[in-house]
Amino acid sequence: MGEPHKTMQLSGWGRMRPEPCRTYRPERLRDCAPVFSDPTPDTLIARGYGRSYGDAAVNAAGVVDMTRLNRMRSFDPVSGILECESGVSLEEIIDAFLPNGFFLPVTPGTKFVTVGGAIANDVHGKNHHCDGTFSRFVRELELLTASSEVLLCSPESNADIFWATVGGIGLTGCILSAKIQLMRVPSAYISVDYHRCANLDAALAAMEERDGAYPYSVAWVDCLAEGNTLGRSVLMHGRHAEPKDLDRRQADRPYAVQTAHKLPVPFNFPGFFLNSWSVQAFNNWFYNKHPDLEHVIVDYDRFFYPLDSILQWNRMYGKRGFVQYQATMPLEHAAGLTKLLEALSASKRASFLAVLKRFGEQGPGLLSYPFKGYTLALDIPNHGDITQFLRDLDRMVLDHGGRLYLAKDACMSRQSFEAAYPRLSEFRAIKERLDPKGRFSSSMARRLGLTVQKEAEHG
Amino acid sequence: MADHNNLSRKAAVILGGASAVARYLALEFAKDGYDLVLADFDRDENERIAADIRTRTGRRCVPMFFDALAFDTHEGFVRECESVLGQAPEGVVLCFGFMPEQLAAQADFSLARRSIDTNFTGAVSILERYAAIFEARRHGFIAAISSVAGDRGRKANYLYGAAKGGLTRYLEGLRNRLHAAKVAVITIKPGFMDTKMTYGMPLPAPLVATPPQAARVMYAAIRKRKNNVHVLWFWRFIMIIIRHIPEWQFKKMSV
Ligand SMILES: Cc1cc2nc3c(=O)[nH]c(=O)nc-3n(C[C@H](O)[C@H](O)[C@H](O)COP(=O)(O)OP(=O)(O)OC[C@H]3O[C@@H](n4cnc5c(N)ncnc54)[C@H](O)[C@@H]3O)c2cc1C
Ligand SMILES: NC(=O)c1ccc[n+]([C@@H]2O[C@H](COP(=O)([O-])OP(=O)(O)OC[C@H]3O[C@@H](n4cnc5c(N)ncnc54)[C@H](OP(=O)(O)O)[C@@H]3O)[C@@H](O)[C@H]2O)c1
């Protein structure tokens, strides 16, 4: 018996391999500690909105849904610091503070993620080359550990635990709350410059040349283009629009945006819905729709969260789901990107969205993902022998000194993981110290050998 | 809605303010410019929620201790609210409730009694006081969350349902009385809501409303001064059918 729970089929956003998980959902902060000390489940993992694509927040023995712990505690308009419980979503933060001129200093491509999830994957956004990851703006967090202690962690105190928790995919404990630095913005709009690049080399050159002048930069890549158009892309550079950039209607209310009506995808589309022809058609349309234009005013929702207007868009890939593959390679190994794109193009595995970005410097998070290099993220529908195909890609990535992102990964092998994350042993040491019995665990943790050493040795 | 605009400030009192729906309902009020008193007997959580509403909206939101079962404190509570707000509130929303586990309440009268005392007697005790103030002032609203469980007694939860049924009848009478004084009485029947009360019950997902969704519907109904509201429209039809099953048949059923 123990705390109230129910069994739910949970997977990541890619919808591959759902597992029946015993799921708890504390409604009040006070209900949290009893759940985490309930002896019935052997292991537990916190879960936010399940926007990680793989199995980071999946654990049959016990999952704790944190989304009801979403009280905001205080906001100081002078310092811009918000203190809130970890289940607050980025959408809620925008809704509450954009009208007062504050925005998230770092945001991923969806606003349906929790603060806890954003910290646990140390997420990055289109401004990584300037501003780094989410954790740079986390001033402090409260961590409920395996020994039922609540630790205050920050870059100043319990710093080692802080940097293990940031990007630590929930394995150091449960983040109860955090203090986050918000950023003042001049409006709710972004001024975007579009630049078409005929192939990958042109795109990389353009990023290198222009990124420095803009806080936001990302390129959309046509993965189906081949030969000398391989990697043709539309580069999008943006900055927050000043009131003078806006038209009259927008300038009157610079922080008010009519958010797009949300379209649900009510059921799984048939598996053939997204095939190489339909995606090719879309990609051609997209490329041709964006000639080089400057100062295009776009609201924050369309710029940062283009997919959020279609709820549950992941159902478009049909019942078998899909894999989101994100690889980063060091600047000097950009040739690896060409290989990756060639492999995808040759396999005709349609990728609706492929996104390319140049990352800035690596942060101090032990398992934090981004490092200086190029990152490419794409969707691969789950059909045919996907495992073998992914293994081939993994090898290419490793051979070029690259690595995969845990927020996206569902298939990587333990060997690839260990080879690609150089600070893993530091993380393990802290995990062992904080959680010697391996109370916090997930399907991903077991797959990658990230539980306690004892278990890890047996694989 | 014209008449409340000449009040200096819009203010409302939310009773049972720490419940999931009450919280989102309070947020709707605050977003619309209301000052609030949030009253609950879970002091700690009530304060967290009041802070949340202040942080999100910048409105005034004062947490106050309120125990529906302590009838003799209700008069004092009403006066204290007035002094905190500087005036009597425009309206009051009753969200507290207590649902005992049916079998446990059959075995233990104190649980059955707590259901009746909270859902019915406690509601009457506090609402009568506001009714008198609003009637004399000739404006205001009283909204209360009752339940479809009160529309027909069922073996699965009649010790909760009977108390809510009593509440529904009470609100009907109150509406009739206060009509002449232009005071609106709004009876809300949520159907199922996805809260602590129902988490883990095997309920069909389309019949269950999320707390923010339920709160938006409730707030719109309060603004429009509706008499009776179902949060999800089809509950009305489900209940019409359930109410029309003849008793000789109904008594044999397990619904
Ligand atoms: C459309 C889309 C676009 C995206 N774009 C980006 C992007 O641009 N950049 C980027 O970095 N990511 C991106 N992501 C990934 C996403 O930002 C991350 O996976 C994020 O962590 C999801 O947060 P969540 O609240 O859904 O957490 P979940 O996916 O539910 O959980 C993620 C991890 O956080 C842990 N966790 C959650 N809450 C807590 C807590 N309270 N305490 C401790 N651990 C916790 C879980 O255990 C799990 O390991 C995107 C995802 C989607 C679907
Ligand atoms: N959930 C549903 O499906 C559903 C369906 C129909 C109707 N309702 C009704 O909707 C309302 C809100 O319910 P909910 O689901 O959100 O459940 P809930 O969270 O349990 O809400 C009940 C609230 O009332 C408070 N309360 C209980 N006894 C009290 C007392 N003596 N004095 C003051 N406050 C008291 C509770 O405080 P504590 O939490 O501290 O005990 C809690 O905040 C209730 O009236 C309920 O009957 C719910």
Side-chain angles (χ1 to χ4, degrees):
Chain A
M1 269 311 282
E3 294 294 307
H5 58 86
K6 68 180 174 192
T7 300
M8 296 179 66
Q9 289 289 329
L10 296 180
S11 65
W13 189 244
R15 310 181 76 243
M16 278 195 14
R17 300 192 299 266
E19 293 178 48
C21 300
R22 179 185 177 96
T23 310
Y24 299 81
R25 191 184 67 189
E27 290 277 341
R28 301 179 183 189
L29 196 65
R30 165 157 38 75
D31 306 333
C32 214
V35 167
F36 281 98
S37 51
D38 186 342
T40 320
D42 285 337
T43 59
L44 286 165
I45 194 74
R47 181 177 172 100
Y49 280 107
R51 253 49 178 199
S52 297
Y53 285 81
D55 45 4
V58 177
N59 186 41
V63 167
V64 184
D65 176 341
M66 298 295 290
T67 58
R68 293 287 166 120
L69 301 179
N70 64 339
R71 313 310 171 257
M72 294 188 187
R73 292 180 183 169
S74 64
F75 178 67
D76 177 355
V78 178
S79 65
I81 291 180
L82 167 71
E83 181 176 7
C84 63
E85 291 175 2
S86 64
V88 165
S89 72
L90 301 189
E91 182 190 35
E92 290 174 277
I93 295 178
I94 297 169
D95 285 352
F97 300 108
L98 186 54
N100 304 324
F102 287 91
F103 194 70
L104 299 158
V106 166
T107 178
T110 171
K111 58 187 182 303
F112 303 127
V113 311
T114 61
V115 165
I119 296 173
N121 270 317
D122 198 12
V123 299
H124 57 267
K126 295 178 167 65
N127 56 345
H128 185 271
H129 62 289
C130 295
D131 299 319
T133 54
F134 196 80
S135 61
R136 262 190 68 187
F137 303 91
V138 178
R139 296 290 168 254
E140 187 177 82
L141 56 85
E142 283 182 310
L143 185 73
L144 177 66
T145 64
S147 58
S148 302
E149 265 178 295
V150 177
L151 296 181
L152 278 184
C153 308
S154 69
E156 290 78 39
S157 71
N158 288 317
D160 53 343
I161 299 177
F162 183 83
W163 294 118
T165 300
V166 156
I169 53 168
L171 297 177
T172 57
C174 175
I175 301 162
L176 297 177
S177 73
K179 285 187 186 155
I180 299 157
Q181 174 77 60
L182 302 186
M183 158 179 85
R184 267 199 179 284
V185 289
S187 74
Y189 296 88
I190 309 294
S191 170
V192 190
D193 295 351
Y194 296 93
H195 180 63
R196 275 203 295 210
C197 307
N199 55 36
L200 186 66
D201 287 340
L204 301 185
M207 284 188 165
E208 185 166 350
E209 186 192 317
R210 298 169 175 226
D211 270 10
Y214 300 85
Y216 299 111
S217 161
V218 73
W220 163 89
V221 184
D222 178 353
C223 286
L224 296 178
E226 290 169 308
N228 55 7
T229 63
L230 184 83
R232 71 169 178 167
S233 12
V234 178
L235 190 50
M236 292 174 253
H237 275 124
R239 53 170 71 97
H240 291 280
E242 299 290 335
K244 67 172 167 46
D245 305 327
L246 305 177
D247 67 26
R248 277 276 297 285
R249 187 185 53 83
Q250 296 163 337
D252 276 351
R253 301 173 67 207
Y255 296 114
V257 169
Q258 283 292 323
T259 41
H261 188 70
K262 291 171 190 153
L263 236 79
V265 174
F267 50 82
N268 290 320
F269 281 22
F272 57 79
F273 177 73
L274 289 178
N275 57 39
S276 57
W277 290 282
S278 63
V279 171
Q280 183 75 74
F282 173 84
N283 287 0
N284 280 332
W285 169 80
F286 191 91
Y287 189 77
N288 292 320
K289 178 178 169 274
H290 289 99
D292 291 10
L293 282 175
E294 296 207 322
H295 307 307
V296 180
I297 300 296
V298 173
D299 67 57
Y300 77 89
D301 224 10
R302 278 171 46 210
F303 183 73
F304 291 110
Y305 314 116
L307 283 171
D308 282 357
S309 58
I310 315 170
L311 294 175
Q312 298 187 295
W313 57 266
N314 50 349
R315 291 180 173 176
M316 292 199 291
Y317 284 98
K319 219 165 83 182
R320 298 192 58 192
F322 65 105
V323 172
Q324 151 95 194
Y325 197 79
Q326 181 168 353
T328 302
M329 296 188 214
L331 295 179
E332 63 275 18
H333 283 300
L337 292 173
T338 312
K339 292 235 172 90
L340 215 61
L341 286 173
E342 276 168 357
L344 277 156
S345 186
S347 79
K348 289 284 174 218
R349 286 177 192 269
S351 183
F352 190 46
L353 268 181
V355 169
L356 178 67
K357 164 152 191 71
R358 194 182 153 106
F359 275 151
E361 296 299 333
Q362 162 109 53
L366 297 180
L367 298 184
S368 183
Y369 177 64
F371 63 90
K372 201 160 179 70
Y374 289 105
T375 192
L376 181 71
L378 33 93
D379 293 346
I380 304 173
N382 177 18
H383 58 65
D385 188 359
I386 194 168
T387 324
Q388 190 48 50
F389 182 65
L390 292 175
R391 290 268 182 270
D392 295 346
L393 295 186
D394 287 2
R395 191 156 341 100
M396 271 175 224
V397 173
L398 272 184
D399 287 350
H400 291 88
R403 71 187 187 200
L404 303 183
Y405 186 13
L406 297 184
K408 310 289 179 79
D409 172 61
C411 301
M412 172 173 34
S413 71
R414 181 174 164 187
Q415 288 69 25
S416 307
F417 173 66
E418 287 175 344
Y421 281 78
R423 304 189 70 182
L424 181 57
S425 57
E426 288 170 73
F427 178 85
R428 281 201 171 123
I430 293 172
K431 166 85 175 154
E432 193 112 352
R433 196 179 85 216
L434 270 182
D435 184 12
K437 295 208 180 93
R439 176 75 169 155
F440 291 93
S441 184
S442 61
S443 295
M444 170 174 274
R446 288 182 289 274
R447 174 164 60 82
L448 300 179
L450 265 173
T451 53
V452 281
Q453 209 61 31
K454 191 160 55 5
E455 208 180 319
E457 273 156 21
H458 301 171
Chain B
M1 295 298 290
D3 49 3
H4 75 252
N5 288 333
N6 45 29
L7 275 178
S8 52
R9 271 240 208 66
K10 301 195 281 184
V13 173
I14 315 281
L15 302 163
S19 84
V21 228
R23 172 185 172 203
Y24 285 99
L25 195 50
L27 203 55
E28 293 292 319
F29 273 99
K31 282 199 237 166
D32 205 12
Y34 278 83
D35 285 350
L36 295 169
V37 165
L38 217 56
D40 201 283
F41 73 166
D42 182 342
R43 282 180 205 268
D44 182 49
E45 185 58 23
N46 200 34
E47 274 181 23
R48 282 177 193 284
I49 290 176
D52 176 72
I53 289 167
R54 290 195 300 265
T55 308
R56 286 178 197 245
T57 65
R59 303 300 317 180
R60 204 160 160 242
C61 184
V62 185
M64 276 177 57
F65 179 78
F66 170 77
D67 183 352
L69 295 174
F71 310 135
D72 52 354
T73 63
H74 291 179
E75 183 68 47
F77 171 82
V78 170
R79 271 203 306 276
E80 210 184 316
C81 271
E82 250 184 80
S83 77
V84 162
L85 291 171
Q87 63 190 17
E90 180 195 339
V92 53
V93 187
L94 184 152
C95 300
F96 62 77
F98 173 68
M99 184 170 75
E101 227 245 289
Q102 171 68 22
L103 292 180
Q106 278 169 219
D108 176 357
F109 175 68
S110 72
L111 285 173
R113 173 163 181 188
R114 185 161 158 216
S115 167
I116 296 160
D117 284 353
T118 308
N119 296 313
F120 182 70
T121 320
V124 172
S125 164
I126 186 72
L127 293 185
E128 275 303 297
R129 284 161 226 267
Y130 279 111
I133 297 171
F134 297 169
E135 186 175 41
R137 189 179 71 182
R138 298 187 60 77
H139 105 117
F141 66 85
I142 293 175
I145 307 187
S146 188
S147 173
V148 293
D151 288 2
R152 188 135 198 193
R154 298 181 297 120
K155 67 181 169 195
N157 67 357
Y158 68 87
L159 289 171
Y160 168 75
K164 286 289 193 184
L167 176 62
T168 303
R169 290 289 91 79
Y170 166 74
L171 295 169
E172 234 166 61
L174 194 63
R175 179 178 304 118
N176 192 209
R177 163 183 161 200
L178 295 180
H179 177 71
K182 299 205 184 74
V183 174
V185 175
I186 301 111
T187 306
I188 302 166
K189 294 179 191 165
F192 296 132
M193 291 184 297
D194 186 9
T195 68
K196 165 183 82 176
M197 222 179 231
T198 53
Y199 186 71
M201 292 184 185
L203 302 175
L207 291 185
V208 183
T210 65
Q213 180 191 12
R216 279 193 296 273
V217 177
M218 291 177 190
Y219 189 67
I222 293 171
R223 293 218 33 148
K224 289 190 196 129
R225 305 292 195 251
K226 291 249 174 90
N227 297 321
N228 289 293
V229 213
H230 284 277
V231 166
L232 298 173
W233 59 271
F234 41 77
W235 270 101
R236 205 158 141 196
F237 295 96
I238 296 176
M239 292 320 295
I240 289 176
I241 295 166
I242 290 190
R243 275 201 311 272
H244 285 83
I245 300 171
E247 189 63 18
W248 59 264
Q249 175 69 33
F250 194 78
K251 72 178 181 192
K252 299 179 210 157
M253 295 168 60
S254 288
V255 285

